[in-house]
Amino acid sequence: QVHLRESGGGLVQAGGSLRISCGASGLTLSSRAMGWFRQGPGKDREFVAGINCRAGTTAYADYADSVKGRFTISRDNAKNTVALQMNSLEPEDTAVYYCVSSFRCDPYRSQGYYDYWGQGTQVTVSS
């Protein structure tokens, strides 16, 4: 049985940093694109960041304009994990963050592209 489990969410003040992680069981992530989506209160779910399956110089990451320059997605294939480092957090970043995985190698911004989803972790940024 496949599970993606997010961890590291919580409450942080505006301007602060938080790192959330995602581990997988029953699934090897090294050949899969990984990503993060989020859904804020009263908002639609939206793409945050995605990373391709390759490492080193061929690694590629994509970011939503709203988080570019503040968030960094990374992966550790040896540990079968992916992380999202979030800096300069804003109240608008408050949301449930979902870890996602696709059988394809390259990330895309469409929700339907991803076949496995975690249950989400809450990130709350206070002003």
Side-chain angles (χ1 to χ4, degrees):
Q1 199 169 8
V2 174
H3 291 286
L4 295 179
R5 292 188 179 87
E6 302 94 342
S7 61
L11 175 64
V12 64
Q13 288 189 330
S17 298
L18 201 63
R19 182 180 177 87
I20 56 177
S21 299
C22 174
S25 58
L27 188 69
T28 300
L29 303 183
S30 59
S31 63
R32 304 174 65 88
M34 299 296 297
W36 293 92
F37 281 73
R38 68 184 181 185
Q39 186 166 18
K43 298 180 181 179
D44 293 333
R45 192 173 296 180
E46 63 177 357
F47 171 83
V48 176
I51 188 167
N52 69 348
C53 67
R54 304 176 188 91
T57 57
T58 55
Y60 165 78
D62 183 30
Y63 298 93
D65 289 344
S66 59
V67 307
K68 198 172 294 183
R70 299 188 298 122
F71 290 12
T72 302
I73 187 172
S74 62
R75 65 189 302 155
D76 187 332
N77 287 340
K79 295 182 178 179
N80 217 32
T81 59
V82 64
L84 186 68
Q85 176 67 41
M86 303 181 290
N87 299 329
S88 301
L89 281 161
E90 304 166 353
E92 293 73 25
D93 296 316
T94 294
V96 176
Y97 284 72
Y98 297 91
C99 174
V100 297
S101 177
S102 171
F103 67 91
R104 298 180 179 90
C105 180
D106 293 317
Y108 283 94
R109 300 188 177 192
S110 171
Q111 295 185 48
Y113 182 76
Y114 297 92
D115 50 355
Y116 290 110
W117 289 67
Q119 292 192 332
T121 186
Q122 177 70 47
V123 172
T124 302
V125 184
S126 63
S127 56

